[in-house]
Amino acid sequence: MKNAYTLLTFLVCIIITSCDKKQAINIAGSTTVLPIISVAAEEFRKSNPKLNIIVNEGGSGVGVNQLGEGKLDIGMVSRDITSDEIAEYPEINFKPISIGKDAVVPVISSEIYNTGITSLTLDEIAKIYRGEIQNWKELGGPDKEILVIDKEASRGTRHVFMEIVFGNKNAEANGADLVLGSNNEEQTAIVQSDAAIGMLSNAWLNDDVKGLSIKMDTGEIIEPSIKNIINNKFPITRDLLIVTNGSPKGSVKAFIDYLLSDEGQKIVEDSGYVRINQ
Amino acid sequence: MLGLTNKVGKFYVYTSTLISAFVVFLIFIILLINSWEAISTIGLDLISLSWNPAKGEFGIISMLYGTFVVTFIALVIAIPLGTFTAIFTSEILASKYRFVVKSTLELLAGIPSIIYGLIGIAFLSIWFQDLFDLQSGRTLFTAGILLSVMILPTIITLTDDAFHNIPEKYRETAKGLGLYNSEIIKEVLVPIAKADIKSAILLAFGRALGETMAVMLVVGSIDRLPSPVLNWLSPGQTITSKLGREIAETSFRSVHFSAMIFMGLLLFSIVLFLTILAQNSSKKTERLYE
């Protein structure tokens, strides 16, 4: 019986403590926007210790859907919201706010990059994803089959990439060998392979994951540099969005204002993206 | 007073059982209701090859195929390995070591599946990539191997218990007849423990079917049958990995969502069917020991 009382007291304690609910902002969505928001949330909490900010990943599609279902205060989205999504949630007033700019870069394994394939035309990339070019040999590289890495259908990076390369954000990639999710997962797979091609946000490039320059129809070769994103020369750029239902209010508004402030924009820059008003 | 306590106890036990049974029933009903839209609007087209929600195509064959291949590979490896290990721990190993060895093996079951997944991504898939000279080590085969390790403890523990529950007198009698140890195991103990081993395998089968996280990370996640179809060293998709990757991206109550839930219903039905099968098989065989 004594045990039962202890248990009961314990339960009551839990209930009482959990009743004292802290104010919280729920955020989820694109893994491209995630690095900015998670750093910003930490910084923002330093001056607002009472406020909880819960940040989750999942992809742009998750950001839109969960906002539509009322599970989130802010959705992170790295692409435009589709007309289908707007039609799906008629009672939601999606209000996107751009917090930065980014490029989606076709990336390849450093092994291939170092053999001299440093730029491709959009048409060549499309052919690879369609399965019409299957070996790096055909592009002047080593005799290695191309490991084509695609992304989950509702990911923002894929929408933007497919829109530019195929002219259709839902284009099917019949040549794909793997379908992965977050930027992290894609990055790992490209590092692990010596003949892979994939698509990544500009901020995720490194020595093992090389960003391809794009050969334009005019013959000009445009590399994925911050400069080329700022002046809109690089063909596959996008805005990084945070989306709210209606105009933001209260602590959500305060957080968004922080993101748009000089301090917040510094975080955007430090994360490898481009600030908005540049 | 005693009568009252007895009644309260009985009531408590009954309600607990009922609640558990009700939860299972509820899950089934919810899956059925939510998958109804897919069943009614897509119908037989669910049994096709192409999955493309943007075009309204929801074919689940490649997911179903992947699920069975991965489970098959896992079982083919884990069944012999598991039963022989169990025979070793319960019949051959000195009983003072049995506990240590067995609990160490059982620890395998306690490792979270995400850890298996990470090991699979970081090492296993790379090894297979180099070993078989593959484009990518994320294949159905890799997922099967990983899964075999994950279901091993289920088979070992239950089979070991099955052997251990056989009364000593069978072994003594057999020994008295002059049988070798190997003959005792083969001719006496295995036939007795057979029913229990069968349920152990079915339970492991269920676990293999339902494993999500580890499989999702290493299977490659492409909704396509391998070509040729028996080339298991190529990427694929299982029902669970599909659900894990895509369910959050679908909007509630859409056909897409409903089609995903339909796959969940299918999985649930398979596991349910297996469980019933396992129950019946152990009921029918009369136990030789009391």
Side-chain angles (χ1 to χ4, degrees), chain B residues 63-181:
Chain B
M63 276 69 98
L64 209 57
Y65 177 78
T67 297
F68 280 116
V69 168
V70 167
T71 312
F72 177 75
I73 295 170
L75 286 177
V76 162
I77 294 165
I79 291 174
L81 213 58
T83 36
F84 285 121
T85 310
I87 289 174
F88 174 74
T89 53
S90 93
E91 299 304 320
I92 297 165
L93 191 68
S95 58
K96 59 176 169 178
Y97 299 123
R98 173 175 174 258
F99 180 73
V100 179
V101 173
K102 203 183 161 206
S103 22
T104 313
L105 289 169
E106 277 167 7
L107 264 185
L108 278 177
I111 300 172
S113 61
I114 183 76
I115 305 287
Y116 281 105
L118 289 176
I119 292 172
I121 277 292
F123 305 104
L124 202 62
S125 67
I126 300 286
W127 293 337
F128 285 148
Q129 195 170 319
D130 296 342
L131 190 65
F132 299 111
D133 195 22
L134 298 172
Q135 259 194 311
S136 166
R138 295 166 198 237
T139 64
L140 291 168
F141 183 73
T142 320
I145 299 285
L146 197 64
L147 210 50
S148 72
V149 180
M150 297 180 71
I151 63 172
L152 208 51
T154 311
I155 297 183
I156 293 174
T157 307
L158 293 177
T159 310
D160 176 273
D161 287 344
F163 279 107
H164 211 70
N165 285 341
I166 301 172
E168 209 46 40
K169 66 175 183 194
Y170 286 95
R171 296 186 188 83
E172 281 161 7
T173 314
K175 237 179 241 168
L177 289 171
L179 295 182
Y180 288 116
N181 213 359

Side-chain angles (χ1 to χ4, degrees), chain A residues 214-260:
Chain A
I214 306 272
K215 215 183 281 169
M216 303 303 282
D217 293 338
T218 55
E220 195 183 2
I221 291 174
I222 298 171
E223 54 178 52
S225 62
I226 296 285
K227 201 181 101 207
N228 283 334
I229 302 172
I230 293 172
N231 61 22
N232 263 334
K233 259 184 140 179
F234 193 78
I236 323 176
T237 55
R238 58 172 164 187
D239 284 330
L240 301 177
L241 306 174
I242 49 175
V243 188
T244 52
N245 178 14
S247 295
K249 287 188 232 22
S251 53
V252 175
K253 184 172 188 311
F255 182 59
I256 293 175
D257 286 342
Y258 173 76
L259 283 170
L260 298 174

Side-chain angles (χ1 to χ4, degrees), chain A residues 65 89 146 152 172 185, chain B residues 55 135 224 245 249 251:
Chain A
N65 276 324
Y89 301 105
I146 305 176
E152 291 166 10
E172 274 177 88
E185 209 182 5
Chain B
K55 276 199 203 155
Q135 259 194 311
R224 190 191 297 155
R245 281 198 184 275
E249 296 175 355
S251 53

Side-chain angles (χ1 to χ4, degrees), chain B residues 14-283:
Chain B
Y14 275 144
T15 16
S16 308
T17 319
L18 275 179
I19 289 173
S20 320
F22 183 69
V23 167
V24 176
F25 178 72
L26 206 65
I27 290 176
F28 184 75
I29 293 296
I30 288 173
L31 286 178
L32 197 65
I33 291 173
N34 279 301
S35 58
W36 185 249
E37 180 161 354
I39 298 171
S40 57
T41 55
I42 312 169
L44 280 178
D45 283 347
L46 279 168
I47 308 169
S48 65
L49 279 172
S50 168
W51 176 280
N52 187 346
K55 276 199 203 155
E57 294 171 339
F58 299 97
I60 62 166
I61 296 240
S62 41
M63 276 69 98
L64 209 57
Y65 177 78
T67 297
F68 280 116
V69 168
V70 167
T71 312
F72 177 75
I73 295 170
L75 286 177
V76 162
I77 294 165
I79 291 174
L81 213 58
T83 36
F84 285 121
T85 310
I87 289 174
F88 174 74
T89 53
S90 93
E91 299 304 320
I92 297 165
L93 191 68
S95 58
K96 59 176 169 178
Y97 299 123
R98 173 175 174 258
F99 180 73
V100 179
V101 173
K102 203 183 161 206
S103 22
T104 313
L105 289 169
E106 277 167 7
L107 264 185
L108 278 177
I111 300 172
S113 61
I114 183 76
I115 305 287
Y116 281 105
L118 289 176
I119 292 172
I121 277 292
F123 305 104
L124 202 62
S125 67
I126 300 286
W127 293 337
F128 285 148
Q129 195 170 319
D130 296 342
L131 190 65
F132 299 111
D133 195 22
L134 298 172
Q135 259 194 311
S136 166
R138 295 166 198 237
T139 64
L140 291 168
F141 183 73
T142 320
I145 299 285
L146 197 64
L147 210 50
S148 72
V149 180
M150 297 180 71
I151 63 172
L152 208 51
T154 311
I155 297 183
I156 293 174
T157 307
L158 293 177
T159 310
D160 176 273
D161 287 344
F163 279 107
H164 211 70
N165 285 341
I166 301 172
E168 209 46 40
K169 66 175 183 194
Y170 286 95
R171 296 186 188 83
E172 281 161 7
T173 314
K175 237 179 241 168
L177 289 171
L179 295 182
Y180 288 116
N181 213 359
S182 62
E183 289 170 324
I184 298 177
I185 293 170
K186 217 175 98 194
E187 308 293 341
V188 181
L189 302 180
V190 170
I192 297 176
K194 215 162 144 191
D196 286 347
I197 297 175
K198 223 193 274 170
S199 355
I201 290 169
L202 282 168
L203 210 67
F205 192 122
R207 171 147 161 72
L209 274 183
E211 175 51 43
T212 305
M213 205 60 216
V215 171
M216 189 175 115
L217 285 173
V218 297
V219 81
S221 297
I222 189 149
D223 312 331
R224 190 191 297 155
L225 289 181
S227 68
V229 113
L230 288 179
N231 178 15
W232 294 343
L233 283 169
S234 49
Q237 179 89 287
T238 68
I239 289 180
T240 48
S241 66
K242 185 74 183 167
L243 287 174
R245 281 198 184 275
E246 225 170 275
I247 195 80
E249 296 175 355
T250 63
S251 53
F252 192 58
R253 291 199 187 287
S254 61
V255 180
H256 188 182
F257 177 81
S258 180
M260 309 281 291
I261 297 292
F262 175 74
M263 287 196 279
L265 179 72
L266 213 59
L267 212 55
F268 185 93
S269 312
I270 296 170
V271 174
L272 194 72
F273 177 71
L274 282 174
T275 314
I276 293 171
L277 209 69
Q279 295 271 330
N280 283 344
S281 81
S282 53
K283 205 164 57 187

